[in-house]
Amino acid sequence: MASPSSRKVRTTADAPMPPDEALKLLKEGNARFIKGEPTATRTNEKMRQELVDMGQAPHTAIIGCADSRAPLETIFDALPGDIFVLRNAGNTCTHAEGSMVGSLEFCTGKLGARMILVLGHTKCGAVYGATNAYLAAKKSETASVESALEGLLLDLAPVAEKAVADMGSHTDADEVAAHAVRVNVFHTIDFLLKYSAPLREKVKSGQVEIQGGIYHLDSGKVEFMGRSPQQSTLLSTNLGLPPSMTREGGRTSGYGPSARGEHGVRTTVDSAVPAEEALKMLKAGNERFAVGAPLAKHATLKMREALVSHGQAPHTAILGCADSRVPVDTVFDAMPGDLFVLRNAGNTCTHAEGSMVGSLEFCCGKLGSKLILVMGHTKCGAIAGATATYLASKEGKASKSAGSALEGLLVGLSGVAKQAEEELGVGADQDQLVSHSVRVNVFSSIEFLLKYSPSLRELVKSGNVEIQGGIYHLETGRVEFLGRSPRQAELLRSDPSLPPSLQALPIRTTTDGPLPSQEALKLLKEGNARFTSGAAISGKITPAMRKALVKEGQAPHTAIIGCADSRAPLETVFDAMPGDIFVLRNAGNTCTHAEGSVLGSLEFCVAALQSKMVLVLGHTACGAIKGATATYLQSKSGNKPQVTKALDALLVGLSDVAKKASEELGEGATEAQIVDRTIKL
């Protein structure tokens, strides 16, 4: 058995591994797992750094099940860097077509993997559920879809159908389901061969192998099943993109209003609905919902077939909140095919810019929708949280946590609360602030779309699309329609720009020349404003940028003397790129004990690098200044400080500043007041 130290991680320094060798590694790793003799139990810092510095080059890509009993790296005793892992319930492409196919094209194209394994497992809950759902639907001749899970099970029905055909209609359901696990593996392989031209060509040329396997939960053994029996036939097919990535594809789930089309639901055979008509449909559907008289029924089999064969043509796209109390299709009494629904906490674009903007551009551009409705709702938890975050930050009680995605979302929305407070004026209580923030946030999202989407702007300008707002009142069930943003005309006249998450800062080199001090100061202020609002855009550094910094040399616009305190990372605080700031740091941002070093460095930066701006930056609650103040007060009381180490000498050197601060403030000043004044001095 190889020891952990004898195994190395795969990086781009390693040549691509032939499929048969990759398969051999998988089999050997699974054998070690079964014996309980794994060798991939530990990594070290050197291994991890190699993966960072040199990049990944996995020998195999695996589509596996998300089941917690089938951890892929573990059952193949794989090290980080060995396996490119894709997982979902049922190891399928059914509901993640673009994601799965695109990920595998990336792995085999960019990363050089030459082996793809589709791995099912015994007792798979998703496949067993799909089999039972299929058998139940066959008995009742109906199949409803009321959740994403039910949609997943319904779309796995062809797998169950083939399993029944193979086993016979009188076979026990569990036996059919067990066989369906095997059928599903090849179903996924066949999907990849049908809908990915790059994968198909690589398989044809022998560059890539796609094989299947079953992981047996009881023994831990992986049964390797080889290629799909349909491979040779499928290599001559060309079905184009996965269905979900085409206009004709995708199954729309959910229920809603009765905007009846030729097939009972709206499809591409129906003409586009003007924005004003779509708005009337929304209002009528919401009224039916509010009074408890909905007309929308479950879609029939023929309706679903029409949506698949003819494609969707929703009359409205809605950006709503993910709150479980606001089921958008239900609120508007809508049928499948009526509404293109996007939802997240707080119905915002703040943390989902590309996804939300791109999805709406797709809906209006490709699907022909003429109306976009941004809909908030009363008692919105995301807005309430953002308001609380904003009020806490005002009082200096901002969260000290490491920054979760939720916290980032709330910080991103806190600007809405700030605007709401400014509009309401002094005296508004927190409940009033939350209520008004909901309204402000609706218009904020509308304005984001108008500001950052050139294609939506043009559609609105030309009158082909309307973007309006609304608030769903949980208490009454009625939607308050707010109309357009008051700033629409102004925003349509402004210059378009990319969403912040897609923006990137340039780097400075000697080819840019010196920057005047006022312009440098402006860059610092703008960068700090982005940092404090949680909208930083630095950090997107390409290899070309790094090479330019090496080849052309640095030309920082500013030199900064800052404190070494870990809470004040200067490049981060100013949202700066490499090459922007020449940074000097020590405890207390001082020259007291580093004169030649600091002064010589600054002279080099100003003379040789031609920086025109020097910023000396202190910070609140500075430990060095607190220590210097305590040292001064101790000496003032007659206790001469003992200087036995470099830190003592540093604090004594800074105590002259504390003395001056104390004298300026007078006898009644507290130690905390002296510290604050000393920081500035």
Side-chain angles (χ1 to χ4, degrees), residues 332-662:
F332 291 108
D333 190 29
M335 286 290 286
D338 285 347
L339 305 179
F340 190 87
V341 178
L342 305 170
R343 295 174 67 177
N344 62 27
N347 45 279
T348 177
C349 296
T350 306
H351 277 60
E353 301 163 1
S355 170
M356 293 297 171
V357 177
S359 297
L360 290 171
E361 288 176 350
F362 167 76
C363 186
C364 295
K366 299 293 185 183
L367 304 183
S369 299
K370 306 292 185 186
L371 178 65
I372 296 173
L373 181 73
V374 177
M375 188 173 77
H377 67 93
T378 57
K379 310 293 184 185
C380 179
I383 298 299
T387 303
T389 297
Y390 164 67
L391 294 175
S393 68
K394 266 186 71 178
E395 297 171 3
K397 299 176 182 176
S399 170
K400 297 178 183 176
S401 72
S404 63
L406 172 60
E407 186 179 344
L409 174 66
L410 299 183
V411 170
L413 281 170
S414 61
V416 169
K418 183 175 185 289
Q419 183 182 333
E421 184 182 53
E422 290 169 355
E423 291 182 4
L424 289 177
V426 181
D429 62 31
Q430 188 162 340
D431 286 345
Q432 291 172 319
L433 193 56
V434 170
S435 179
H436 190 57
S437 293
V438 168
R439 188 174 301 264
V440 171
N441 185 51
V442 167
F443 289 123
S444 176
S445 293
I446 293 174
E447 289 158 12
F448 189 100
L449 298 174
L450 291 171
K451 188 174 182 181
Y452 292 120
S453 173
S455 61
L456 291 180
R457 285 160 64 97
E458 290 307 310
L459 289 169
V460 172
K461 269 185 183 179
S462 64
N464 284 313
V465 166
E466 276 279 333
I467 306 181
Q468 298 200 15
I471 296 176
Y472 172 63
H473 290 262
L474 294 176
E475 305 83 356
T476 64
R478 284 187 164 83
V479 174
E480 175 189 356
F481 292 88
L482 303 174
R484 302 172 177 173
S485 162
R487 296 185 58 216
Q488 176 169 305
E490 170 196 342
L491 289 168
L492 291 179
R493 290 193 302 269
S494 66
D495 294 328
S497 57
L498 283 172
S501 69
L502 301 178
Q503 294 176 16
L505 290 170
I507 55 162
R508 284 186 54 76
T509 69
T510 52
T511 60
D512 296 300
L515 194 69
S517 58
Q518 288 307 308
E519 290 186 31
L521 192 60
K522 181 171 179 284
L523 288 180
L524 293 175
K525 290 178 178 179
E526 290 173 349
N528 182 241
R530 291 193 299 271
F531 167 70
T532 55
S533 66
I537 58 175
S538 66
K540 298 172 185 176
I541 306 159
T542 65
M545 290 177 174
R546 289 191 291 271
K547 288 177 182 176
L549 283 169
V550 174
K551 182 181 177 183
E552 307 295 344
Q554 63 174 318
H557 59 69
T558 300
I560 299 182
I561 300 179
C563 184
D565 193 295
S566 63
R567 300 166 296 178
L570 301 190
E571 290 89 348
T572 304
V573 163
F574 292 107
D575 190 28
M577 293 287 281
D580 284 351
I581 301 175
F582 191 86
V583 174
L584 304 169
R585 293 175 69 177
N586 59 33
N589 45 277
T590 176
C591 296
T592 305
H593 277 62
E595 300 164 1
S597 170
V598 173
L599 295 181
S601 299
L602 286 175
E603 288 173 358
F604 167 75
C605 187
V606 171
L609 304 183
Q610 299 187 345
S611 299
K612 305 295 184 186
M613 179 73 202
V614 176
L615 178 70
V616 179
L617 184 74
H619 68 92
T620 56
C622 179
I625 299 298
K626 285 181 178 179
T629 302
T631 297
Y632 161 69
L633 294 174
Q634 180 186 345
S635 65
K636 188 180 176 185
S637 64
N639 297 320
K640 187 176 180 180
Q642 297 295 313
V643 180
T644 59
K645 52 184 182 293
L647 174 60
D648 297 332
L650 174 65
L651 299 182
V652 169
L654 281 170
S655 64
D656 286 343
V657 185
K659 178 183 178 185
K660 185 178 179 185
S662 177

Side-chain angles (χ1 to χ4, degrees), residues 15 40 44 110 113 117 175 183 196 205 248 272 295 309 321 330 352 384 408 431 477 494 521 557 572:
N44 56 43
K110 298 292 186 184
L117 180 70
E175 290 182 47
V183 171
S196 173
S205 66
E248 291 74 23
L295 296 177
S309 59
C321 185
T330 305
D431 286 345
S494 66
L521 192 60
H557 59 69
T572 304

